Amino acid sequence: MRTALLIAGKDFKQRLRDKTLLMYALLLPLGLAFVFNLVFGGVDEQSATRIGLLDADRGTAASRFTDGVLRPVEASGAIDLRTVQSREEGEKLVEDGDLTALFVIPQGFTAAVESGAETAIVIVGDEGSPTGTSVARAIATSYTSQVTTVRLAVALAGGGDPQAVQQAVASSEAVAVERVGTSDKQLDWGTYMAAGMAVFFLFFTVQFGASGMLEERENGTMARLLAAPVSRTAVLAGKLLLSVFVGAVSMALLMAAMALLFDAQWGDPVGLALVVLTGVVAATALMASVAAFARGHEAASNRQAVLAIVLGALGGAFFPVAQLGGLMSQISKISPHYWFLQSLADLSGGASVGDVLPGVAVLAAFAAVAGGVAVYGWRREAGA
């Protein structure tokens, strides 16, 4: 391990003199993040949120919500309300991007509210418009809070009967807000694009260490290195440690810069560190697996660049592919960029460490599989 650390330290000093590393690790992603924040930073606030409404109940409680809550909000210009005739029609409009969210008031809603039974206002949200979904949820939550207050007041006004009070309190969460078909991501457009650039250039940053073995071989320094009591495994470990270290430092600086300059909210710091670390390891393993089967440093760099661009495009580094819906939203999940950005967005929306573990597990799986391929390739190259 000491040998690997010495090799990583030696390479790090050499890379510091190479301005290309600094450009990929910090300057390009931070510069593009600044540009995207200027361009997209206010997109979510520039127009009224397009929200659909399906009132299948048409009772008094539903009318209180539509006429007493939604119509005044619409009159203020915050939302653009559109009535739909069926849930299928509304979901299709959400999927096509014509609506950012859909309220569904189910049949029997009024009867359930008046009897204290459990019911729900359903929100169908567009994955590509997290801000609009949040607006819809906030509106519905304000109404359900009013209903809860009324129930408690009615129970207390009935003479303070303990049984009545207990029943009201027990049903205080009976009117729920249920979200369907939307993720918890809360990144605004500017922050999303900045995070996309950070993870996109991460793959270029870590490739310097991953392809270092090929540079050593082409420069003739590998033979001299192996003439010393140093194993190929130690050399490879040192190169990969360099990639992980540089990638982690780069991402940490970029996340901090975006928080300071663009007011990005990354949520739980432990969860953020876990997502960043697994993302860096996955990127390093993928770049190493490409280099392991390349004939030379130049060929490896070309292949790594192609892989980074393809995975970045599929995973939503340039735009949220999930917004396209259908097959493309499923294909995007084969890219580690998707899971990285999704986990960041969930943390920004208030998710805990446990909530992002599935995404972290997928990133770890990328790292394990690609790492195994890389080790096999390097051993095959060495004739082991």
Side-chain angles (χ1 to χ4, degrees), residues 175-199:
V175 180
V177 178
E178 177 183 339
R179 282 191 292 176
V180 177
T182 183
S183 65
D184 290 330
K185 67 180 181 181
Q186 302 293 322
L187 295 180
D188 59 77
W189 266 99
T191 305
Y192 178 86
M193 297 303 297
M197 289 300 97
V199 67

Side-chain angles (χ1 to χ4, degrees), residues 65-126:
F65 178 60
T66 57
D67 298 334
V69 178
L70 293 183
R71 296 303 179 187
V73 175
E74 181 185 27
S76 71
I79 65 172
D80 181 11
L81 194 63
R82 176 175 175 178
T83 302
V84 299
Q85 302 303 315
S86 68
R87 180 160 178 170
E88 290 75 16
E89 177 191 353
E91 290 180 347
K92 183 65 168 55
L93 291 172
V94 171
E95 183 179 350
D96 293 343
D98 295 326
L99 295 176
T100 56
L102 169 69
F103 286 119
V104 179
I105 305 177
Q107 188 175 4
F109 178 79
T110 297
V113 170
E114 293 176 349
S115 65
E118 183 177 353
T119 187
I121 295 176
V122 179
I123 299 176
V124 180
D126 179 4

Side-chain angles (χ1 to χ4, degrees), residues 110-169:
T110 297
V113 170
E114 293 176 349
S115 65
E118 183 177 353
T119 187
I121 295 176
V122 179
I123 299 176
V124 180
D126 179 4
E127 289 186 351
S129 302
T131 302
T133 304
S134 297
V135 169
R137 189 170 190 268
I139 293 172
T141 299
S142 68
Y143 175 72
T144 59
S145 299
Q146 293 175 10
V147 173
T148 297
T149 302
V150 170
R151 284 181 173 176
L152 290 173
V154 170
L156 293 172
D161 178 66
Q163 185 176 359
V165 175
Q166 182 179 5
Q167 182 180 0
V169 173

Side-chain angles (χ1 to χ4, degrees), residues 96-318:
D96 293 343
D98 295 326
L99 295 176
T100 56
L102 169 69
F103 286 119
V104 179
I105 305 177
Q107 188 175 4
F109 178 79
T110 297
V113 170
E114 293 176 349
S115 65
E118 183 177 353
T119 187
I121 295 176
V122 179
I123 299 176
V124 180
D126 179 4
E127 289 186 351
S129 302
T131 302
T133 304
S134 297
V135 169
R137 189 170 190 268
I139 293 172
T141 299
S142 68
Y143 175 72
T144 59
S145 299
Q146 293 175 10
V147 173
T148 297
T149 302
V150 170
R151 284 181 173 176
L152 290 173
V154 170
L156 293 172
D161 178 66
Q163 185 176 359
V165 175
Q166 182 179 5
Q167 182 180 0
V169 173
S171 63
S172 62
E173 298 296 333
V175 180
V177 178
E178 177 183 339
R179 282 191 292 176
V180 177
T182 183
S183 65
D184 290 330
K185 67 180 181 181
Q186 302 293 322
L187 295 180
D188 59 77
W189 266 99
T191 305
Y192 178 86
M193 297 303 297
M197 289 300 97
V199 67
F200 175 71
F201 282 104
L202 169 65
F203 280 69
F204 289 90
T205 301
V206 301
Q207 77 175 17
F208 290 99
S211 59
M213 291 275 286
L214 298 174
E215 288 184 279
E216 297 275 7
R217 186 177 64 189
E218 292 177 356
N219 295 335
T221 56
M222 178 63 73
R224 295 198 299 269
L225 188 61
L226 294 178
V230 178
S231 66
R232 282 183 175 270
T233 301
V235 176
L236 177 60
K239 303 298 183 182
L240 297 184
L241 281 174
L242 170 65
S243 290
V244 172
F245 175 75
V246 171
V249 171
S250 169
M251 290 300 296
L253 292 176
L254 289 173
M255 295 292 112
M258 283 186 270
L260 291 174
L261 298 177
F262 312 136
D263 197 28
Q265 304 297 319
W266 300 120
D268 190 301
V270 176
L272 177 62
L274 188 60
V275 170
V276 168
L277 183 59
T278 52
V280 170
V281 173
T284 299
L286 283 165
M287 294 295 100
S289 67
V290 173
F293 293 91
R295 293 184 177 275
H297 173 255
E298 184 177 352
S301 297
N302 292 336
R303 294 178 186 179
Q304 288 169 334
V306 170
L307 181 64
I309 293 172
V310 171
L311 290 179
L314 289 177
F318 306 114

Side-chain angles (χ1 to χ4, degrees), residues 334-358:
I334 68 174
S335 169
H337 296 68
Y338 168 86
W339 299 99
F340 186 90
L341 290 170
Q342 184 61 62
S343 297
L344 284 185
D346 289 342
L347 286 171
S348 178
S352 64
V353 175
D355 294 328
V356 298
L357 285 181

